[in-house]
Amino acid sequence: MVTHSSAKTFVTLANSIYTDRPIPLHRPVFAGPEREWLVECIDSNFVSSVGARVVEFEQRVAQFVGARFAVAVVNGTNALHVALRLAGVEPGSEVITQPLTFVATCNAIAYAGAVPVFVDVDADTLGLSPEALERFLKTHAVIRDGRTVNRHSGRPLAACMPMHTFGLPCRIQAIVDICNRYDVPVVEDAAESLGSWADGRHTGTVGQSGVFSFNGNKIITTGGGGMIVTDDPALAQRARHLTTTAKQPHPYEFVHDELGYNYRMPNLNATLGCAQMEQLPVFLERKRELHERYARFFADTGIALVTEPEGTRANHWLNAIVLPDRDSRDAFLQQTNDAGVMTRPIWRLMTSLPMYAPCQHDGCAVAADLEQRVVNLPSSVPVDADGHIVERIGGL
Ligand SMILES: *Cc1c(COP(=O)(O)O)cnc(C)c1O
């Protein structure tokens, strides 16, 4: 069987690239000024959510992605929750998203009191399909009292939240264009795509707002953390307000003018973030080289490596392959994991989880096929035995 010998040689390849045993799917790399800057942060006593590194981290990310404003928060899920509130998502409304995503996308919708509705993905980007979105809106969207409403449920279609899967940019400009015609704001779940561009624009900066995650498995980490980016000064100000308990500025009074959250990122985490941003360009280079190494390997196997869609530049956060069928997928997973090389199937579709199974969907045929066949490969930035980032990717 093709898959059997491919899995075996893949294990050899992975062992030649990585010094880790077993080889994880993705681990963080702290090869920059992390230790030095963290000690400085502790010595300053400013370890909590007021501190110079929070402002610096926001500026670094804003500048890197080309957004006017960035607001740092405690994790990506909460960043999505706030971004949805900024978009006007209220309890009892609906948010269009994709069935193929990490559960946080849908949980954030639920935290805002809204209900997800699922529209299929494209097979090449693994992200929301503009054609499927257009079809859905044509069939279901009506304008009532100046609001876009789903005629199927009678609820407002308050936002659309596409996700850039594994750092592969989805067709975000087409999605935004369609949503603009229906007056539906777009919040980009760019949690996985720091360092990914589509048509020259960084992911997360095309819609009304975008969200990044700095969880321990993402391309850079703050331990836990998230960021909302936007070009709209009013939205940025409201994001700051909502994430700091909606407290009105006052020298001594505590006045909170709406339901807010304690979501601001601590200075300690932002310090880690600043040190990680120093290394992001190198991470991106090595990840591209790793992807190219994998591409050469899979070229003669009959197994498809998912590559960046045309006109985009992906961060290659997590590499993914598409196996011919469910059986060969299972065989590949079994053989590699047994050999200490961690590989993982793509998420179960959101439409199959008990919380979201009752939600409206468009059939999601492409996502259902991908769910059976996609596998993620080890994709960390390779380091040597001393923890230094390797100069060049090893290989067979
Ligand atoms: C990681 C991730 C998030 C947010 O994650 P946090 O762990 O809360 O930072 C949201 N959406 C997607 C698609 C993700 O991969």
Side-chain angles (χ1 to χ4, degrees), residues 75-78 80 101-102 104-105 163 189 191-192 213-215 217-218 225 317 347:
N75 63 51
T77 312
N78 291 342
L80 290 172
T101 185
F102 178 56
T105 312
M163 197 274 282
D189 183 346
E192 305 182 352
S213 165
F214 312 113
N215 189 27
N217 64 346
K218 296 299 194 317
W317 168 59
W347 314 282

Side-chain angles (χ1 to χ4, degrees), residues 292-308:
E292 283 162 6
R293 184 69 198 83
Y294 281 170
R296 284 204 302 282
F297 174 84
F298 284 104
D300 3 281
T301 59
I303 296 170
L305 179 72
V306 184
T307 54
E308 58 196 0

Side-chain angles (χ1 to χ4, degrees), residues 173-242:
Q173 190 60 61
I175 290 167
V176 169
D177 290 346
I178 293 163
C179 285
N180 281 346
R181 277 196 271 115
Y182 286 87
D183 208 17
V184 173
V186 174
V187 174
E188 291 179 65
D189 183 346
E192 305 182 352
S193 64
L194 182 65
S196 300
W197 282 262
D199 303 319
R201 293 182 70 180
H202 197 286
T203 54
T205 67
V206 185
Q208 178 191 79
S209 68
V211 161
F212 300 101
S213 165
F214 312 113
N215 189 27
N217 64 346
K218 296 299 194 317
I219 190 160
I220 67 161
T221 186
T222 58
M227 191 82 81
I228 303 161
V229 297
T230 182
D231 284 340
D232 182 329
L235 287 186
Q237 198 187 357
R238 181 133 196 274
R240 268 179 223 293
H241 187 63
L242 283 177

Side-chain angles (χ1 to χ4, degrees), residues 52-66:
R53 289 292 190 187
V54 178
V55 179
E56 182 190 335
F57 186 46
E58 289 176 339
Q59 284 169 350
R60 280 175 181 261
V61 172
Q63 190 180 17
F64 184 86
V65 305

